[in-house]
Structures are given as structure tokens and as C-alpha cells.
Amino acid sequence: MLLSLLGTVTQAQDIIQSKQYPQGYFRYPLDLAPVTAGSFGELRPAHFHSGLDFKTMQRTGYPVHAVADGYVSRLRIQFGGFGQAIYITHPNGYTSVYGHIQSFTPEVFRYIRDYQYKNQTFEADIPVPAGTFKVIKGEVVAMSGNEGASAGPHVHFELRDTATEETINPQLFGLTIPDEVPPSITDIGVYHLNGNPFSENTPKEFLSVAGAAGNYHLLKPQVLQLSGNTGFGIAVTDQNSSSNNRNGVYSIEVKLDGRSVYTFAVERFAFDQTHAVNAYIDYPTFLFSHRTIQKCFILPGSRISLYPQSVNRGIIPFNDNEVHDVEFICKDIAGNTSTLKVKVQSSSVANNMAPAKAVGKMFYFNDLNEFNTDRLKIQIPTSNLYDDLDFLYSSLPAKPGAYSVTHRIHNKFTPIHDGYDIWIKPDISLGAYTDKAVIVSAAAGSIGGEYDKGFIKATARAFGDFYIRIDTVPPVITPINIRNGSILKGISAIRLRMSDNLSGVKSFAGKIDGKWVLVERSYKTKILSYTFTNDIAPGKHNFEFTVIDAKNNSTTFTAEFTR
């Protein structure tokens, strides 16, 4: 039976990939020696990393070069994320992306500012018509920075398929990083599945690993005694020769008696797949202990392109009373390889470690799933679950200030791919405040809410505890360097802070003498700032700043100042 399930996977130049990519077409985005802080596809909170992070020696302001001829096709300004980014489309079917930019060329900067003022917005995702800004290979298109959700100065760099917008590992195009260091393996996991959906209740054990220089073994040598459907997992990281950072590996392959049963490879993926990182790792173990185990079996609802090959989703039925060799092969993109071999004594004896069946309603990963009571409704669209689920629900006492009991919707250990709809009926009359009601997640705060036929409806992105509250409290504005009557001669910018107690800021806007002005928002400092331009002549002026939260509570700060 084991042999009948085995398969193979093709490899190109000892690296697992589905196709070959142009070599020598693209240059590096910086003139610095290529040193990386993050690898393509490595595991990040709720996503796979979508590019390479090139270090800039803890400094900003290095020239960022177009990696090939092309044209600027998109510009993006965000509060978090890339902060500031530029996209360049190339004639060979690929688009390069440069994130966390500090500044653009004067022409591009004016284009962005014109868009922001025309649309009266700070955040902007700007499509740029072909031919507006043509670039040649090596041309300086921006200066490196530390904008957005960046942990330090660097350039986040991507190469995307222009047609599909899939992001592709840049090192497959020849933009390699010096690397003679094989991956490091620290643990393996054994999961006793036995026909049950994977969950936090799946019986499992973790075995420590020892070794170095690519050769690893169990810290405690043993023959594993296994019976029934079994999955494996592995804790592995990689380090290249240019940096001390611990990054992700390129590929993981599991072989049974010399033939591949599971392969994972970070060649390319689509952005609508990236949340499936929580289906790839042992998510319950990560939440319990912050331990990252990469599962070497595939949940049936996980549809990502990072699994080029598997047999029976990597799940192995040990039931033939034979001794088998299981081998883990972990590679970085330079081909450095680490291996670990274990022996398994297969048994046909029924495994008694199976988790007890839950008593809730059965949800299926490939169906539309609904759950209803007189006070709660949920609806989970097809393909949002990664595996079948014994769904559990309970009602808990109301929290202080809540307008409903607390509805415990399953638990936090089961990840959701995208959102699902939730309706909660108030247990206390909302009276005149139906338009102020929100659904609150005990873990994440307000998830919004709209009145819908006696219920408050919102979209949740995780399981957990939920209840209704009302938001009638307006946001708070805290001026930093301005008050009524301020003299701001020689001051380069007006600075403020803002906050909201529940539903969150929906919008903000600044005006000087009744005219909209651009107020920028820093992700790191959370400071809002308007930088003075030549349009503000010497003399007295009136500054007005308004913040509106998601339930349309608003606050306005005004101050007269002198330039």
C-alpha cells in the first residue's frame, strides 16, 4: 500500500522549480554588496514574505536603481505596509517592486502630490499610464528608506509576473546572495492523524535534533513506533553567508524509502494565498508556545502553489508491519542541503492516540457552512476553512458595557483563510444607537458592524469571543506643537496625534484657511504632520484638523497661527 502511494518530483539544476526564468536580464536594485535581512517565502505573521529585503547598512538615502528598462506603472503611499513604493513594468513580462522608499525623483514626487491633493487623500494607490515615466536599466528611481511597517532601513524588492501578479523568488532570476551555509534543523514533529481533521487536539510529539554542517540526526537515537495515518513536521531555518539573520529555507522534501511523498518550495505564489501560512505551520503549537513547526503534510483546504508535489497530501499510512526510512531534505536556494533520516517501525495495530470526537456541528472545508441560534448567526464561505472542523459554540456572560452576551465562536487555534459573516442580536435595546453599534472581538477589538434586520452584522477574520458595544465617543486629537495663537515662524511642520477608543479612525483631514492640505501619518511614531509649503504666506492663518471614526463620531481641532 505504501509503495502504491509514492510519487516523484522533477528538479531543475538541483533546485525544485516549475520553470526557468531569465538570467542576466535584471540587475540588483542597489549598488551595495547584496546583503539580505529577509528571504523570499519565509514565514511572517499571517503571510509568506513576498520578496527579498536588501540591507542598507542601517542607513537610509541610498540610490535605488531600476533593475531593467521599463516604465513606472504604479505608485503607492500607505500608513503601514511598504510605506512608499514604486512599481516598474518591464517588457519581458515581469514587474519589479521597491518598498519602504524614503523619497522619489522630483517628477514622480510631484505626480504623487498632485494625485493626493486632487483626491484629498494621504494614502494612495496610483496607477500610472504606460509611457508617463520611462526608465532605463540602472537609472536611479528612488532613495532607500525605512518607511511603513519596516523594522529597520532596507529595500524590500520583488519581481512579479505582470499578467498574474504572482510574486516570484528573485534569486531564480540570478539575483543571488552569497551562501555557503546549509539550513539548520532543530526539531521534528510527529502527528497521529488517523483519519481525523487536524486541530489543536491532534496527538503529536516533538523530537529534538542534533547535528551540523548539513548532517542531522535525532538527539535520542530511536526507531519510531508508528501506526495509522501519520504526518510529519520540521523546525528549520536558513542563514546565508552575507548575514547573521535567520531566514526561511527554499524547499523541504520528505522521502519514504527513497521516494518523495511531500515537497514544499518557495518558487512563486499569489497574494490571495499568503494567509495560508497559518495552514502551513502548526498553528495551534505556534499560539501555545511560539514554536514554529512547518507541517510536512497538506491540509485539504490549503490551495497554495508552494506544494509542487505530494502523495496523499504527505500523509503516510503506517500499517504494513515493516521498517521504513523517512528522510527530510531541506535546501536553500543556493543548493546547500541539510538532511535528517529516521527509521519507523510500521504497525497495523490500531493507534489509540486519536483525539476524541468533538460534540459540535461538523463543518466541511469545501462547503458553505452556517450556524444559527436565535441570538447568533455565522456564515463561512466555501474554501475559507483549511480542514473539516468539529465546530463548537458556547454563550458566556455579558462583559461590562456590552449590549449582548459573549458568543464564543469555536476557538482561536483554528485559522481562517479570509473573512466570514457574523450576526449578533442585541440582548439590550439599542434605542437610538443602532447606527453606533459594533461587534467587538475580545482579541482584536472592534470589527465594525451594521444594523441588519434586528442584528448587528460584521465580518470576522478569526474565531474567538464576540459581543456588541456602542460607540458614541469621538476621537481624541492631541496637538504637539500648535495651539491657538502659536507663532510658527521657522517651524517646518505642524504635528499632532490622534486616537480613538473603539471603532477606529475612518478618516482625517487638515485644512488651512478652509483649503485642504496634506497631513501625513507616520506608522512608527503615529505622529501626523503637515509640512509647510510656499503656498502659506507670512501672516495669520487658521488651521483645522478633523478626525472621524468608523461610527461617524467626529472631533475637530482649530487654532489660529502666525507664519
Side-chain angles (χ1 to χ4, degrees):
M1 181 179 291
L2 285 172
L3 291 176
S4 69
L5 291 173
L6 294 174
T8 59
V9 62
T10 58
Q11 300 188 18
Q13 299 178 350
D14 206 35
I15 294 296
I16 299 166
Q17 59 188 102
S18 64
K19 62 177 291 185
Q20 296 297 306
Y21 298 94
Q23 303 295 300
Y25 188 91
F26 296 110
R27 56 155 286 166
Y28 293 92
L30 298 166
D31 283 336
L32 302 170
V35 179
T36 55
S39 64
F40 181 88
E42 75 178 23
L43 313 181
R44 298 287 179 88
H47 69 283
F48 294 100
H49 189 232
S50 58
L52 292 179
D53 285 344
F54 286 101
K55 290 186 176 183
T56 55
M57 302 170 62
Q58 293 299 313
R59 293 168 53 191
T60 61
Y62 283 99
V64 177
H65 302 267
V67 295
D69 293 353
Y71 64 90
V72 176
S73 55
R74 183 182 179 189
L75 297 160
R76 194 169 186 189
I77 309 297
Q78 296 173 274
F79 169 57
F82 291 158
Q84 299 191 134
I86 184 169
Y87 299 65
I88 297 174
T89 295
H90 307 283
N92 68 338
Y94 298 98
T95 295
S96 55
V97 183
Y98 316 75
H100 308 302
I101 294 303
Q102 175 177 269
S103 60
F104 302 93
T105 63
E107 296 80 11
V108 169
F109 174 77
R110 285 195 295 270
Y111 193 87
I112 293 170
R113 282 291 185 267
D114 288 346
Y115 181 95
Q116 289 173 314
Y117 271 85
K118 179 181 178 180
N119 293 277
Q120 297 190 358
T121 180
F122 160 59
E123 291 200 288
D125 192 351
I126 310 170
V128 182
T132 305
F133 300 110
K134 293 182 179 179
V135 298
I136 59 174
K137 186 175 184 177
E139 181 179 343
V140 175
V141 295
M143 303 301 283
S144 71
N146 189 27
E147 303 301 307
S150 167
H154 73 278
V155 172
H156 174 94
F157 175 73
E158 298 178 12
L159 285 172
R160 299 184 184 181
D161 184 311
T162 303
T164 67
E165 295 192 2
E166 289 178 300
T167 184
I168 308 167
N169 198 319
Q171 293 201 63
L172 295 174
F173 293 83
L175 300 180
T176 57
I177 310 299
D179 190 353
E180 297 179 353
V181 184
S184 175
I185 304 172
T186 57
D187 303 273
I188 63 167
V190 181
Y191 298 85
H192 305 278
L193 299 168
N194 297 320
N196 293 286
F198 175 78
S199 75
E200 72 279 5
N201 298 314
T202 298
K204 67 186 78 170
E205 52 209 323
F206 300 118
L207 306 173
S208 296
V209 168
N215 297 303
Y216 290 85
H217 58 271
L218 293 180
L219 182 62
K220 179 183 177 182
Q222 58 185 295
V223 177
L224 303 182
Q225 304 293 318
L226 298 177
S227 175
N229 287 346
T230 302
F232 291 96
I234 191 165
V236 58
T237 58
D238 187 46
Q239 181 180 340
N240 60 46
S241 300
S242 71
S243 170
N244 292 324
N245 289 71
R246 289 287 181 180
N247 302 135
V249 295
Y250 178 77
S251 66
I252 299 171
E253 184 179 6
V254 178
K255 289 186 175 182
L256 178 68
D257 299 328
R259 300 184 69 183
S260 295
V261 294
Y262 168 89
T263 308
F264 169 85
V266 289
E267 176 184 357
R268 60 193 291 161
F269 62 85
F271 284 94
D272 62 0
Q273 300 173 348
T274 193
H275 289 166
V277 68
N278 290 333
Y280 171 62
I281 65 172
D282 179 346
Y283 189 63
T285 293
F286 177 77
L287 293 184
F288 275 125
S289 63
H290 296 287
R291 188 179 197 176
T292 302
I293 304 294
Q294 301 177 56
K295 299 202 304 293
C296 298
F297 59 96
I298 306 168
L299 301 188
S302 182
R303 298 177 178 86
I304 55 175
S305 56
L306 300 178
Y307 302 119
Q309 176 271 340
S310 73
V311 177
N312 195 35
R313 296 188 286 110
I315 298 171
I316 303 172
F318 289 111
N319 54 18
D320 61 359
N321 298 311
E322 300 291 337
V323 175
H324 296 280
D325 292 314
V326 176
E327 182 179 15
F328 301 84
I329 304 170
C330 303
K331 293 185 179 183
D332 60 30
I333 199 165
N336 301 301
T337 304
S338 292
T339 60
L340 167 67
K341 294 183 179 180
V342 297
K343 285 193 175 293
V344 173
Q345 173 66 61
S346 174
S347 173
S348 59
V349 177
N351 192 314
N352 60 7
M353 298 181 66
K357 290 289 186 180
V359 296
K361 180 179 180 180
M362 200 67 189
F363 281 2
Y364 298 96
F365 74 91
N366 56 352
D367 282 349
L368 171 68
N369 293 286
E370 297 181 315
F371 179 83
N372 299 297
T373 73
D374 60 341
R375 296 288 172 178
L376 172 77
K377 298 187 293 184
I378 70 167
Q379 187 177 90
I380 304 175
T382 304
S383 302
N384 261 8
L385 294 176
Y386 297 116
D387 205 342
D388 294 342
L389 176 67
D390 286 314
F391 177 79
L392 299 175
Y393 165 79
S394 60
S395 175
L396 305 178
K399 294 181 179 292
Y403 278 67
S404 72
V405 298
T406 298
H407 298 273
R408 177 158 290 176
I409 300 175
H410 202 65
N411 62 54
K412 65 180 181 179
F413 300 112
T414 298
I416 294 287
H417 189 71
D418 286 320
Y420 65 95
D421 290 331
I422 173 174
W423 291 260
I424 296 178
K425 192 169 188 177
D427 295 314
I428 301 173
S429 173
L430 297 176
Y433 296 118
T434 55
D435 62 338
K436 301 294 184 182
V438 295
I439 293 178
V440 174
S441 160
S446 170
I447 61 170
E450 300 294 335
Y451 185 78
D452 182 22
K453 299 176 182 178
F455 289 77
I456 302 301
K457 178 186 177 183
T459 299
R461 302 193 180 278
F463 292 138
D465 294 352
F466 298 89
Y467 53 91
I468 294 173
R469 287 187 61 188
I470 61 170
D471 184 4
T472 59
V473 180
V476 174
I477 299 172
T478 305
I480 296 175
N481 67 345
I482 185 173
R483 58 181 177 82
N484 196 43
S486 289
I487 298 175
L488 300 182
K489 295 178 180 179
I491 301 298
S492 63
I494 295 172
R495 294 182 173 86
L496 316 94
R497 294 183 189 274
M498 66 182 178
S499 61
D500 187 67
N501 75 316
L502 184 55
S503 61
V505 171
K506 180 175 69 174
S507 65
F508 61 89
K511 293 181 179 180
I512 292 182
D513 301 332
K515 182 180 179 181
W516 188 91
V517 293
L518 176 64
V519 177
E520 300 175 282
R521 187 182 185 190
S522 167
Y523 181 82
K524 294 179 177 61
T525 67
K526 305 303 185 285
I527 290 176
L528 299 118
S529 59
Y530 161 71
T531 301
F532 283 106
T533 67
N534 293 332
D535 295 340
I536 308 303
K540 289 187 176 183
H541 300 276
N542 186 70
F543 176 71
E544 178 183 305
F545 184 69
T546 299
V547 182
I548 304 173
D549 69 17
K551 291 284 109 179
N552 294 317
N553 304 299
S554 67
T555 299
T556 298
F557 168 82
T558 60
E560 188 178 81
F561 68 92
T562 302
R563 283 289 284 171

